[in-house]
């Protein structure tokens, strides 16, 4: 799942020599991907972080909601630790970079196929450690109180999305977004976007 035709073509060519890998299909958008995973039920889906119609991390959640037995490998140019953390939290089993050699991408796919977590060698391997959602003192994160939809919206707020952009990305009305934002503020006990961003920063959820 990638918005760039030339990259998809190159990836398909790079995987051609791997006898144990068959490319079942390609999609350029999240919406195309949802229809295809329902129809093909693939073992693995590679997903870019940024897609023409929205967010690859949100697309990952939707893919896994539709097909829980499918595994997702994020394959992207974005090496920011924030995106790695968010992708793995969304359920992706691996995070690879487009700059890696085809043989490394093949190994990433095989690692994910075995049910193991893969993180590109260029990135800190501790990112692959399972998150407990707890701080060192054993206290649960306040983000644990958010519903999955509220967490989606929280993530988009942190990334600077406007209410209109969030509504388009999540296919909701602006009024629904505003209602969710009010619930988020109440649950997290914040009164402004600035306070919410500071809370996100305390939990290491702000991209730099």
């Amino acid at each position: 799942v990638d918005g760039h035709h030339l990259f998809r073509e190159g990836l398909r060519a790079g995987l051609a020599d791997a006898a144990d890998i068959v490319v079942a299909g390609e999609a350029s958008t999240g919406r195309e991907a949802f229809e295809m995973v329902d129809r093909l039920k693939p073992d693995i889906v590679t997903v870019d972080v940024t897609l023409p119609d929205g967010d690859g991390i949100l697309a990952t959640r939707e893919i896994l909601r539709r097909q829980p037995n499918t595994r997702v490998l994020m394959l992207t140019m974005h090496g920011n630790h924030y995106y790695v953390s968010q992708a793995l939290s969304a359920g992706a089993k691996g995070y690879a970079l487009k700059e890696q050699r085809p043989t490394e991408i093949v190994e990433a796919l095989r690692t994910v196929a075995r049910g193991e977590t893969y993180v590109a060698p260029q990135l800190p391997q501790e990112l692959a450690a399972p998150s407990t959602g707890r701080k060192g003192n054993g206290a649960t994160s306040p983000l644990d109180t958010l519903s999955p939809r509220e967490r989606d919206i929280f993530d988009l707020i942190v990334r600077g999305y406007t209410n209109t952009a969030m509504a388009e990305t999540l296919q909701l009305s602006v009024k629904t977004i505003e209602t969710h934002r009010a619930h988020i503020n109440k649950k997290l006990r914040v009164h402004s976007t600035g306070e919410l961003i500071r809370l996100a920063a305390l939990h290491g959820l702000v991209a730099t």
Side-chain angles (χ1 to χ4, degrees):
V1 185
D2 193 286
H4 298 90
H5 173 75
L6 287 178
F7 176 77
R8 297 199 313 273
E9 198 172 79
L11 179 60
R12 179 186 284 272
L15 298 176
D17 292 334
D20 55 338
I21 296 175
V22 175
V23 179
E26 300 176 15
S28 61
T29 67
R31 290 179 186 177
E32 287 180 9
F34 303 151
E35 183 276 326
M36 292 186 75
V37 297
D38 284 345
R39 176 164 49 86
L40 298 172
K41 296 178 174 56
D43 297 313
I44 301 174
V45 180
T46 67
V47 183
D48 196 356
V49 165
T50 54
L51 298 173
D53 63 343
D55 185 309
I57 294 173
L58 297 186
T60 292
R61 289 180 179 154
E62 179 63 14
I63 288 169
L64 296 175
R65 185 189 72 79
R66 290 167 176 259
Q67 299 295 335
N69 293 327
T70 291
R71 290 166 180 158
V72 172
L73 170 69
M74 304 304 295
L75 183 53
T76 181
M77 63 180 289
H78 300 289
N80 188 288
H81 297 182
Y82 169 79
Y83 289 122
V84 182
S85 174
Q86 290 297 289
L88 296 179
S89 294
K93 287 297 294 179
Y95 199 100
L97 300 175
K98 290 183 177 181
E99 66 191 54
Q100 292 181 258
R101 296 187 300 273
T103 54
E104 293 180 301
I105 301 301
V106 168
E107 181 54 35
L109 288 166
R110 288 171 175 160
T111 299
V112 169
R114 293 194 298 268
E116 302 170 13
T117 301
Y118 177 91
V119 171
Q122 298 92 321
L123 299 168
Q125 295 306 296
E126 58 266 25
L127 291 170
S131 173
T132 63
R134 297 175 180 272
K135 296 294 184 183
N137 62 4
T140 58
S141 165
L143 302 184
D144 292 342
T145 65
L146 302 183
S147 70
R149 178 58 81 195
E150 289 167 351
R151 184 55 189 266
D152 289 343
I153 292 171
F154 174 91
D155 291 344
L156 293 178
I157 294 170
V158 170
R159 295 179 203 180
Y161 280 57
T162 64
N163 283 0
T164 300
M166 285 189 281
E168 292 175 353
T169 298
L170 299 174
Q171 298 184 291
L172 300 171
S173 69
V174 172
K175 181 65 176 178
T176 298
I177 295 293
E178 291 172 349
T179 299
H180 280 305
R181 290 192 71 155
H183 292 163
I184 291 168
N185 288 350
K186 183 176 181 180
K187 287 183 177 181
L188 299 183
R189 299 182 182 180
V190 299
H191 301 90
S192 67
T193 299
E195 289 183 10
L196 187 146
I197 297 295
R198 286 193 289 274
L199 177 66
L202 286 173
H203 290 270
L205 298 176
V206 176
T208 57

